[in-house]
Amino acid sequence: MHMSLLDKGGKTHHLNVKYRVGVLLAVDIMCFLVTCWIFVDRAFSYYFFSRHIIYNWLIMVGLVFLFRLIFHIYKQMWRYANTGVYLLMLVSDLCAGIAYLLVDRTMLRLHLPIANAVAAIGTGLLATLSSRFIYQSMRKFPLVLGKKARAFKRDEENKIKIGIVGAGELGVLLAEELRANRSARYAPYCFFDNNSRKIGSTVAGLPVYGPDKDVVEQVKKLPIQEIIIALPNMDAQTQRQVFNTYKETGLKVKIYDYPLERALPGEGKRTIREVNIEDLLFRESVRFDGAGTNYYRGKTVLITGAGGSIGSELSRQIAHTQPERLVLLDIYENGVYDIQQELVRAYREKLDVRVVIASICDEPRLREVFDDYHPDVVFHAAAHKHVPLMEYNCAEAVRNNVFGSLNVINLAEESGVQRFVMISTDKAVNPTNIMGATKRLCEMIIQSRKDSGTDFVAVRFGNVLGSNGSVVPLFKRQIAEGGPVTITDKRIIRYFMTIPEAVQLVLRTGRRAEKSEIYVLDMGEPVKILDLAENMIALSGFVPYEDIDVVEIGLRPGEKLYEELLINSDTTFRTEDARIYIDHDKALTRDEVSRILFDLDNALSKADDNDDVRDAMMTAVSTYQTADEINSHADTSAQVKSAGDHNYQGAIAPGIPS
């Protein structure tokens, strides 16, 4: 039954192709029958020998259609023909004309004048091309009458009229796609451009307005409802500037660009989409090039905290590298189940995915996992990360983040894991909260393992846009509820990255040769949380402070006004990868770290409250201070300037190009 339907469908398709080719041949033969006969007959009429006319006409027409078949002209779908297809037909008929003249001069008794031959073939080509242009125009702009005409008019009126920013190739492509698609939601009305040669002219049938400085007043006079930015290869600063200019019109601003996909580049196509906060970062985003993916191919990779935002993205990108086995470990089953199902749907039997529900604090259970799977690479992303919650649950933060991580580190070393990568945070630099202090202590453990057979490294980066617990989901919920949007302090600055690019840089560090190092990722320029909130309100179609207010509620426990990525810029060196640095801070020995952990464990067992645990952590991590101490004498403007000025430029190793 199934096969018969396929066969029937195949025959129908074959008949449709034959019918289309037959119609095109009939139209083209009629065109040449008229044009060629006229010019050939006029050349030979005084001889009164009709057979010469027939010979020359048949040879000419035969050669034209022979070369069109050779050049596969009749395999083209003329509905979608572009300049290249029309040029192909021109070359085909040119070759046919040259071939005819050679035959005429070498084989025929009476020769057709060159002017007549060129006129016959040229006019036939013109007639053929005209039929194709008419066909294409009818497909794009069908002639509709009566009720269909009224319905067509209503559909056009219901479409959203847009102005396209950029009257270049990308903008023209967008306009043509929208006009060719009858079911499109948008109808292009005009272009906006800064090019003085284009302003005031017509491009692709649409008027061009500009420049940008006049756009607000111009838009008020135009019946457009939305603005689409169609500018290729914009850098981050230009994209942000264009968006800020056009949002002043009060219209919805969107972008014609590739989606912010989680996959590697080249997968996907440009589409009209909302401008996301990721588009307005103060720097260039990391471009995925698949560098180093061979390192993970054929290996067993274990990811702890695999159900979290970073862990799940690690799972996606490592799955793309074709590992032998991917082991996803998490204590929260719902999150890890979601990423497991996503990977199963995407890869099916091509990927061996195993899910382990376990706590990193459960050392016997972890030992079973390492004994069962013998991982080659471990990415340790499991941790309690929410700063205010950990301030009220200090003992749990230390047990999980420090001693849970110690379990994973020790078992990785015992099992002969090749590479161990721990996800750290900028909050580990001069920490002002328990979460940051626990991460700093874990970095100290990593640094003390230089003599290990396992390559231990930590990767430190700042806030991740859209991750669990970040401000972006919170702001989105508050905007959806009508506001207000709450920020802790208008002076606060943070470093931001998107989840995919942060993970891409983590994967790059995971294949490097160094061991017991702390890698620092280039996060670009710091972002004021106030600017982030205002931009998100504007992106949602509201006016900050008019439609939705921004309210300052005060710093949370353990929160800094600013974050740092470097402990000491004098000891931080750039690798050959321009986005990755190594912090060569002085490391403690194994024995020194062991004593710190022993004392901390004793203190933890005797601690009665959060203050006792906090005091113990301040003893263990010498750089740990309270947030009040840091913020009370913080010169925020100087810190912002310092963060922006060095941007890792003052921390370049001698001999490594900048």
Side-chain angles (χ1 to χ4, degrees):
M1 178 74 174
H2 183 62
M3 287 302 294
S4 64
L5 286 174
L6 282 176
D7 292 342
K8 186 176 180 181
K11 289 179 181 178
T12 302
H13 171 72
H14 189 59
L15 290 173
N16 287 337
V17 172
K18 281 188 173 182
Y19 174 76
R20 177 168 54 82
V21 172
V23 171
L24 289 175
L25 281 170
V27 171
D28 292 355
I29 289 172
M30 288 184 63
C31 292
F32 270 89
L33 177 65
V34 175
T35 57
C36 293
W37 185 274
I38 291 172
F39 289 99
V40 174
D41 181 63
R42 288 178 62 85
F44 291 121
S45 59
Y46 55 88
Y47 283 105
F48 300 101
F49 293 113
S50 60
R51 67 176 179 275
H52 295 302
I53 298 174
I54 295 171
Y55 291 161
N56 281 269
W57 181 82
L58 288 175
I59 293 171
M60 181 181 292
V61 173
L63 287 172
V64 166
F65 285 95
L66 174 63
F67 275 90
R68 287 189 182 182
L69 291 172
I70 292 173
F71 280 83
H72 304 293
I73 298 299
Y74 293 101
K75 288 186 176 181
Q76 305 294 332
M77 288 290 292
W78 288 95
R79 182 190 311 181
Y80 308 109
N82 55 19
T83 306
V85 176
Y86 288 111
L87 184 62
L88 187 65
M89 177 175 276
L90 179 64
V91 172
S92 168
D93 283 17
L94 177 63
C95 293
I98 294 172
Y100 171 76
L101 290 176
L102 290 174
V103 172
D104 181 66
R105 292 301 184 268
T106 58
M107 299 176 62
L108 298 181
R109 178 183 171 189
L110 296 177
H111 308 307
L112 181 67
I114 293 177
N116 288 65
V118 171
I121 293 177
T123 308
L125 174 63
L126 181 62
T128 303
L129 292 177
S130 298
S131 69
R132 302 298 196 274
F133 283 129
I134 292 171
Y135 172 71
Q136 269 195 325
S137 300
M138 290 178 65
R139 295 292 307 187
K140 288 184 179 180
F141 308 103
L143 179 63
V144 289
L145 302 171
K147 292 182 179 179
K148 286 187 177 181
R150 289 193 292 272
F152 181 78
K153 185 178 180 181
R154 281 197 304 272
D155 289 342
E156 290 298 305
E157 290 175 350
N158 290 333
K159 289 185 177 182
I160 300 171
K161 292 184 176 62
I162 62 169
I164 300 174
V165 180
E169 289 185 9
L170 187 61
V172 171
L173 174 64
L174 172 60
E176 290 180 344
E177 282 187 358
L178 292 174
R179 287 190 296 195
N181 185 359
R182 299 182 207 171
S183 61
R185 295 177 56 235
Y186 302 99
Y189 182 84
C190 66
F191 288 108
F192 296 103
D193 205 287
N194 281 332
N195 190 329
S196 58
R197 292 181 299 174
K198 295 178 182 178
I199 296 172
S201 65
T202 299
V203 174
L206 300 176
V208 182
Y209 299 100
D212 285 349
K213 62 184 178 66
D214 300 328
V215 73
V216 176
E217 292 302 318
Q218 290 173 336
V219 165
K220 294 178 181 178
K221 305 172 186 177
L222 301 174
I224 60 176
Q225 299 156 283
E226 293 186 10
I227 291 175
I228 311 296
I229 300 172
L231 298 172
N233 305 320
M234 283 188 293
D235 57 49
Q237 189 61 34
T238 301
Q239 188 158 292
R240 184 168 174 269
Q241 181 180 344
V242 171
F243 172 76
N244 287 335
T245 298
Y246 283 88
K247 79 176 182 181
E248 294 298 321
T249 63
L251 300 181
K252 186 80 171 178
V253 180
K254 295 183 179 179
I255 189 170
Y256 183 58
D257 197 10
Y258 297 104
L260 292 170
E261 68 262 290
R262 295 181 178 274
L264 295 178
E267 299 179 3
K269 63 184 291 291
R270 288 186 188 271
T271 183
I272 295 175
R273 63 171 175 83
E274 302 286 342
V275 178
N276 294 297
I277 195 64
E278 291 89 338
D279 295 308
L280 303 180
L281 290 175
F282 291 72
R283 54 161 176 75
E284 289 299 306
S285 295
V286 175
R287 298 296 178 186
F288 300 161
D289 57 5
T293 57
N294 287 337
Y295 177 78
Y296 304 101
R297 182 171 294 136
K299 287 183 168 60
T300 296
V301 181
L302 169 65
I303 302 172
T304 70
S309 46
I310 296 296
S312 59
E313 183 62 24
L314 272 168
S315 304
R316 291 185 189 95
Q317 293 196 27
I318 292 174
H320 197 79
T321 68
Q322 302 175 4
E324 180 180 347
R325 179 179 293 133
L326 189 56
V327 184
L328 312 180
L329 186 147
D330 207 303
I331 188 62
Y332 180 58
E333 70 273 18
N334 289 346
V336 75
Y337 171 79
D338 289 341
I339 185 62
Q340 178 210 34
Q341 292 303 303
E342 180 182 328
L343 295 178
V344 168
R345 288 193 301 271
Y347 296 95
R348 299 187 183 277
E349 70 280 354
K350 295 179 182 178
L351 179 66
D352 183 3
V353 183
R354 306 295 176 90
V355 172
V356 176
I357 305 301
S359 168
I360 60 173
C361 295
D362 187 349
E363 195 268 349
R365 174 71 174 124
L366 280 180
R367 187 175 295 278
E368 291 177 7
V369 175
F370 277 87
D371 289 343
D372 289 344
Y373 296 110
H374 303 287
D376 302 299
V377 181
V378 173
F379 287 93
H380 179 45
H384 291 321
K385 305 181 183 72
H386 202 283
V387 170
L389 291 183
M390 293 306 102
E391 288 301 291
Y392 295 111
N393 297 272
C394 295
E396 176 60 26
V398 174
R399 288 191 191 97
N400 187 80
N401 291 6
V402 176
F403 292 103
S405 296
L406 183 63
N407 288 336
V408 184
I409 290 169
N410 287 338
L411 287 169
E413 188 172 47
E414 288 180 26
S415 302
V417 169
Q418 297 173 14
R419 190 81 166 164
F420 182 99
V421 182
M422 188 193 80
I423 306 301
S424 189
T425 171
D426 57 353
K427 294 174 177 60
V429 184
N430 298 323
T432 60
N433 51 66
I434 280 291
M435 195 282 283
T438 59
K439 284 293 188 179
R440 177 58 195 142
L441 186 48
C442 288
E443 290 180 353
M444 293 161 61
I445 298 171
I446 293 294
Q447 289 178 299
S448 71
R449 303 280 172 130
K450 285 185 179 293
D451 58 345
S452 175
T454 298
D455 297 336
F456 287 99
V457 296
V459 183
R460 184 191 295 159
F461 52 86
N463 296 271
V464 179
L465 284 170
S467 64
N468 298 330
S470 76
V471 295
V472 172
L474 173 63
F475 287 172
K476 285 182 178 179
R477 287 194 299 270
Q478 291 176 335
I479 292 169
E481 293 166 359
V485 171
T486 58
I487 62 173
T488 55
D489 192 295
K490 292 183 179 180
R491 297 170 294 170
I492 275 190
I493 63 171
R494 292 291 183 265
Y495 292 92
F496 281 100
M497 264 190 163
T498 64
I499 295 175
E501 64 182 343
V503 167
Q504 177 65 200
L505 288 175
V506 169
L507 292 182
R508 290 185 190 179
T509 63
R511 63 184 171 86
R512 300 186 58 82
E514 297 90 352
K515 62 163 57 179
S516 298
E517 301 288 5
I518 298 174
Y519 290 104
V520 183
L521 304 188
D522 180 0
M523 300 291 293
E525 296 296 321
V527 178
K528 288 186 70 175
I529 297 298
L530 178 61
D531 292 341
L532 184 70
E534 290 173 348
N535 276 325
M536 288 191 66
I537 292 171
L539 287 174
S540 301
F542 300 105
V543 179
Y545 307 107
E546 292 183 15
D547 300 325
I548 293 180
D549 200 6
V550 179
V551 177
E552 192 176 25
I553 61 174
L555 291 172
R556 300 175 299 177
E559 188 172 29
K560 279 184 183 179
L561 284 173
Y562 59 90
E563 298 291 358
E564 306 159 274
L565 289 177
L566 308 176
I567 290 179
N568 185 345
S569 61
D570 293 333
T571 62
T572 304
F573 304 98
R574 191 169 74 185
T575 67
E576 69 274 11
D577 191 321
R579 305 302 297 268
I580 300 174
Y581 295 74
I582 298 178
D583 187 354
H584 286 305
D585 186 49
K586 186 177 182 301
L588 300 179
T589 65
R590 273 185 187 256
D591 289 340
E592 289 171 329
V593 171
S594 295
R595 283 195 294 271
I596 290 173
L597 292 173
F598 179 80
D599 293 341
L600 179 62
D601 190 31
N602 284 336
L604 191 64
S605 64
K606 300 173 184 176
D608 292 328
D609 56 24
N610 289 319
D611 290 337
D612 290 343
V613 178
R614 196 174 286 111
D615 291 341
M617 281 299 296
M618 285 185 173
T619 302
V621 181
S622 61
T623 55
Y624 181 15
Q625 305 176 63
T626 66
D628 290 340
E629 290 175 317
I630 294 289
N631 294 329
S632 62
H633 55 78
D635 182 351
T636 307
S637 60
Q639 293 295 341
V640 174
K641 185 177 186 302
S642 173
D645 283 350
H646 74 64
N647 197 24
Y648 308 101
Q649 297 305 310
I652 298 173
I656 297 179
S658 59

